[in-house]
Amino acid sequence: MSEFLRKKKIGQIFIEMGVIDDAKLDWALQKQQETNQLLGHTLLAAGYITEDDLAIALAKQFDVPYIDLKDVTVSDEAKRSVPANLLQTGEFVPLEIVNKTLTIAVSDPTNYELIDRLSTVTGYELKYVLSTQSQIRSFLGLPPLTGPPGETAPASGGEGGGEGGGEGSEPQNDDPVSDVNLEFESDGDEDGKADILKQQADQKPIILLVNKIILNAVNKRCSDIHIESWDTKIVVRYRLDGILTEQMTIAKKAGPAIISRIKIMSDLNIAERSVPQDGAFSIKLGKKTVDFRISIIPCCEGECACLRILAKENLKLDLKALGFSDIEYDRFNRAIRRPYGIILVSGPTGSGKTTTLYAALQSLNDAETKIITAEDPVEYKLSGLNQINVKINKTDPDRSLTFGKALKAMLRHDPDIILLGEIREHETADIAIKAALTGHLVFSTVHANNAIDVIGRMADMDIDRYLLAAAFIQVIAQRLVKTICKSCIEEYTPTEEDFKFADLLAPEYKEIKYYKGAGCQNCGGKGYKGRAAVYEILDIDDELRAMIAGGQSLYEIKRVGLEKGMTTIHGSTLTKIRKGETTIQELIRVCAA
Ligand SMILES: [Zn+2]
């Protein structure tokens, strides 16, 4: 029943085409309930329709041309535009390129992932026409698949695929997008009242669509979902490994219902559409719970939603898996096992600071250790920790729970280890330093460009330099670099310009073997897969403590730190280049700022 509207529609098309009658349609509707197959495939498997009938009906449903590939010649330009390995998937035939638009023939018009990937790899806009799977495979010289098309696709609603997802790991057959168009064609009420919005949001197609958007993102291990109202459409984009890519576009009219649905899930006010709202919800997928943090903002073209996915499994909590080199790992691991003092991490938003600190807490988390955190907000719940949500109440500041207040309260709970989400003003910095000097191990983050700068930022918060120096154990800066796809890695020689921008002009750097990813199916043609952290780590020893307490310049402190073997972002990235883990381009990128 869940896809009633869509099924009826394609069934109706078959009846209009005169290929089946009402009795066969009824039989197929009944049958597909048991098999969970698409209606078209059910009819095809029963021999009631041909593959051509199916392609013609889908073409009508999606309002695109149907073509017979027997009558087609493919332009050389189109053929050359597509990597050979993608052609081997047998999912499409490239036909022609006109006005920077590549036209392809597909048998499954809901294969958005393919269309996305082709658009990324070729740089062209994509247009598709429909043909049959058999024709496409035979055109490409591939053997026919046994069984009806679609049989190899997994049933929808299952749990996520294996590591890295990959082809066919997501449900693609239950596309409710066309239903949404259908439902909202006659409904132009953009400023609907709450009860109308509620009604719209409770419609099956909307619920299915929002579920699909969320499930796909979780299965792909994305970090964020962006649902944006543009002038003529709703655009859904996912952030994966720090990169934002468009996933689908939806009819503009469905926007308010989608946003309302998300508000209902997040316990927000659906009638309020003119101020920003923040919320949260959790979903259970099999045994795991995935938490979401929601932010909704009113934009000129309608409300936009951003859903941050806080899947615990997205977090590599194994210290060794973060990206530390052996030396860096030893240093960090030694520092976090000190009984008291402060360890500060800096880096831009999205540089993985929180992950590094959580991995440290996780490795220190045992029955004999009391760990309390104060965060804005708590990003990952770890069992065995006491975690406090810091919250600023703008209308009634007395009711705000600031980092400073939370920290004071925490200290009365006799913790061994404290994590403070961020130190940004004097009060918090002052209490944190005093806590670090009275037998607590304190972790926190500071906004600073590099490790040395962390010392400067703390001093700027009007903290006594002597206390500061005494409390410091280690200061860290970190960035994330994209790692080369292992399936398509190849050696190459960077250009002179690359060496110059990477600050690798000395002859010794020409001796290094450099690698990059050529782009393959495994990495969606990007040449990169996954990310790893690179670190700048400075251990504060007695000599450096004396320099900090004595008010020596940051420049001097850096010089001595480097002499003592402080690692830098540049050096740490170079180590990864030598190991064939990342590229010279990534070094240029992370060292540019
Ligand atoms: Zn690859």
Side-chain angles (χ1 to χ4, degrees):
M1 277 304 286
S2 62
E3 291 178 271
F4 181 70
L5 291 167
R6 160 80 180 279
K7 300 288 193 261
K8 172 129 190 212
K9 204 173 156 210
I10 190 129
Q12 211 59 51
I13 295 171
F14 286 128
I15 287 181
E16 282 159 20
M17 285 164 63
V19 292
I20 57 165
D21 55 21
D22 286 337
K24 282 180 180 150
L25 177 59
D26 286 344
W27 171 86
L29 285 169
Q30 192 77 41
K31 175 83 177 165
Q32 67 157 172
Q33 304 249 316
E34 302 155 23
T35 58
N36 208 19
Q37 286 266 321
L38 290 181
L39 187 77
H41 294 158
T42 306
L43 287 164
L44 184 60
Y48 289 153
I49 59 167
T50 65
E51 232 193 313
D52 286 294
D53 294 335
L54 176 59
I56 291 165
L58 283 170
K60 282 187 205 284
Q61 191 185 29
F62 283 80
D63 199 20
V64 293
Y66 162 80
I67 62 155
D68 189 330
L69 290 174
K70 287 182 211 93
D71 313 329
V72 163
T73 39
V74 170
S75 87
D76 281 345
E77 193 191 8
K79 221 185 292 174
R80 268 184 277 112
S81 71
V82 178
N85 56 356
L86 278 181
L87 280 177
Q88 288 304 312
T89 61
E91 290 174 341
F92 71 101
V93 172
L95 296 174
E96 59 173 11
I97 297 171
V98 177
N99 293 332
K100 294 191 177 149
T101 301
L102 170 65
T103 303
I104 58 171
V106 294
S107 63
D108 176 4
T110 65
N111 194 346
Y112 301 112
E113 197 177 359
L114 170 73
I115 291 167
D116 261 1
R117 179 178 298 165
L118 278 174
S119 167
T120 311
V121 172
T122 62
Y124 292 116
E125 291 278 308
L126 257 286
K127 228 166 81 177
Y128 63 87
V129 297
L130 273 156
S131 191
T132 66
Q133 192 179 68
S134 308
Q135 283 195 43
I136 290 171
R137 293 189 66 86
S138 113
F139 193 93
L140 296 167
L142 297 169
L145 288 179
T146 50
E151 192 149 84
T152 49
S156 62
E159 279 196 59
E163 184 60 38
E167 283 294 79
S169 68
E170 59 168 321
Q172 290 181 336
N173 287 345
D174 59 339
D175 168 45
V177 178
S178 53
D179 295 341
V180 176
N181 288 332
L182 188 78
E183 275 301 289
F184 287 85
E185 245 140 36
S186 57
D187 186 353
D189 186 9
E190 287 275 320
D191 298 309
K193 299 255 159 48
D195 50 341
I196 298 172
L197 285 167
K198 170 92 170 71
Q199 253 175 37
Q200 290 181 349
D202 283 345
Q203 288 180 97
K204 275 259 164 69
I206 290 294
I207 294 174
L208 277 179
L209 175 60
V210 171
N211 287 354
K212 174 176 170 148
I213 291 170
I214 291 171
L215 279 175
N216 278 356
V218 172
N219 286 341
K220 290 182 174 187
R221 293 170 165 71
C222 298
S223 59
D224 304 84
I225 305 170
H226 298 254
I227 301 173
E228 299 165 359
S229 297
W230 292 18
D231 53 351
T232 57
K233 57 190 175 183
I234 304 297
V235 175
V236 178
R237 301 197 282 176
Y238 290 167
R239 189 179 295 282
L240 176 62
D241 291 338
I243 301 162
L244 205 54
T245 35
E246 187 173 313
Q247 289 302 307
M248 62 167 93
T249 59
I250 303 165
K252 174 88 175 171
K253 284 167 185 163
I258 292 170
I259 298 291
S260 298
R261 172 71 193 150
I262 290 166
K263 285 180 182 169
I264 290 169
M265 294 170 81
S266 321
D267 231 355
L268 298 175
N269 180 356
I270 62 169
E272 178 55 78
R273 301 176 67 198
S274 54
V275 297
Q277 296 192 63
D278 293 328
F281 64 83
S282 301
I283 57 171
K284 257 193 124 60
L285 288 173
K287 280 186 189 140
K288 69 179 178 187
T289 305
V290 184
D291 298 323
F292 293 82
R293 262 172 57 203
I294 318 310
S295 167
I296 291 173
I297 52 171
C299 297
C300 298
E301 302 292 349
E303 287 177 293
C304 295
C306 181
L307 290 74
R308 168 146 260 217
I309 305 174
L310 306 175
K312 281 167 205 150
E313 66 173 280
N314 279 353
L315 205 61
K316 282 185 193 158
L317 282 182
D318 179 4
L319 266 186
K320 284 201 157 142
L322 294 174
F324 286 118
S325 69
D326 293 344
I327 298 171
E328 290 161 357
Y329 175 78
D330 281 347
R331 284 192 184 163
F332 186 63
N333 199 34
R334 226 179 315 120
I336 65 174
R337 276 155 225 288
R338 296 274 287 268
Y340 67 91
I342 191 164
I343 296 173
L344 292 173
V345 183
S346 74
T349 307
S351 61
K353 289 171 293 197
T354 314
T355 310
T356 300
L357 291 177
Y358 270 107
L361 291 187
Q362 182 78 314
S363 79
L364 297 168
N365 187 9
D366 61 35
E368 291 154 22
T369 311
K370 176 146 182 147
I371 304 177
I372 310 185
T373 77
E375 300 162 77
D376 180 19
V378 170
E379 285 201 33
Y380 300 95
K381 291 182 201 121
L382 296 187
S383 67
L385 270 61
N386 303 137
Q387 295 174 280
I388 304 172
N389 260 316
V390 163
K391 212 173 172 101
I392 306 302
N393 189 329
K394 288 195 186 98
T395 49
D396 184 1
D398 285 346
R399 301 210 58 218
S400 286
L401 181 56
T402 60
F403 276 116
K405 265 193 206 171
L407 184 49
K408 276 186 212 161
M410 281 155 79
L411 289 171
R412 291 193 283 272
H413 277 244
D414 185 29
D416 299 296
I417 298 172
I418 293 166
L419 169 75
L420 276 179
E422 191 187 353
I423 295 178
R424 56 186 151 199
E425 36 70 46
H426 170 76
E427 188 198 10
T428 316
D430 187 50
I431 313 169
I433 293 296
K434 283 175 182 149
L437 290 171
T438 52
H440 307 94
L441 183 62
V442 180
F443 293 98
S444 190
T445 71
V446 173
H447 272 289
N449 287 327
N450 53 56
I452 296 290
D453 211 22
V454 170
I455 301 169
R457 287 306 302 268
M458 289 297 287
D460 286 347
M461 284 183 229
D462 215 10
I463 303 298
D464 184 300
R465 276 180 168 260
Y466 180 79
L467 294 182
L468 200 57
F472 274 138
I473 299 173
Q474 194 172 67
V475 288
I476 299 170
Q478 77 172 83
R479 302 285 188 273
L480 289 178
V481 293
K482 286 179 276 182
T483 47
I484 300 173
C485 169
K486 289 194 174 72
S487 308
C488 61
I489 186 167
E490 60 179 29
E491 199 182 329
Y492 84 115
T493 310
T495 64
E496 275 309 307
E497 211 164 47
D498 290 338
F499 284 111
K500 196 175 112 198
F501 286 137
D503 202 7
L504 296 175
L505 282 172
E508 58 180 291
Y509 297 122
K510 297 271 161 65
E511 308 298 319
I512 300 173
K513 284 187 175 148
Y514 292 88
Y515 296 90
K516 65 180 174 65
C520 69
Q521 208 174 332
N522 266 326
C523 56
K526 293 190 171 83
Y528 291 103
K529 196 150 194 202
R531 290 184 297 176
V534 287
Y535 291 95
E536 194 162 283
I537 300 181
L538 177 63
D539 283 319
I540 310 288
D541 64 4
D542 285 344
E543 186 185 349
L544 287 167
R545 273 190 198 101
M547 291 180 77
I548 295 167
Q552 297 247 10
S553 74
L554 293 180
Y555 178 81
E556 270 302 300
I557 293 170
K558 181 176 181 181
R559 191 184 56 75
V560 174
L562 285 170
E563 271 174 25
K564 289 174 180 290
M566 164 183 155
T567 54
T568 61
I569 296 290
H570 189 272
S572 180
T573 311
L574 189 59
T575 304
K576 285 203 158 29
I577 289 177
R578 287 180 198 273
K579 285 193 197 155
E581 290 172 5
T582 194
T583 62
I584 197 167
Q585 261 66 37
E586 281 296 279
L587 185 149
I588 294 169
R589 186 178 64 79
V590 295
C591 292

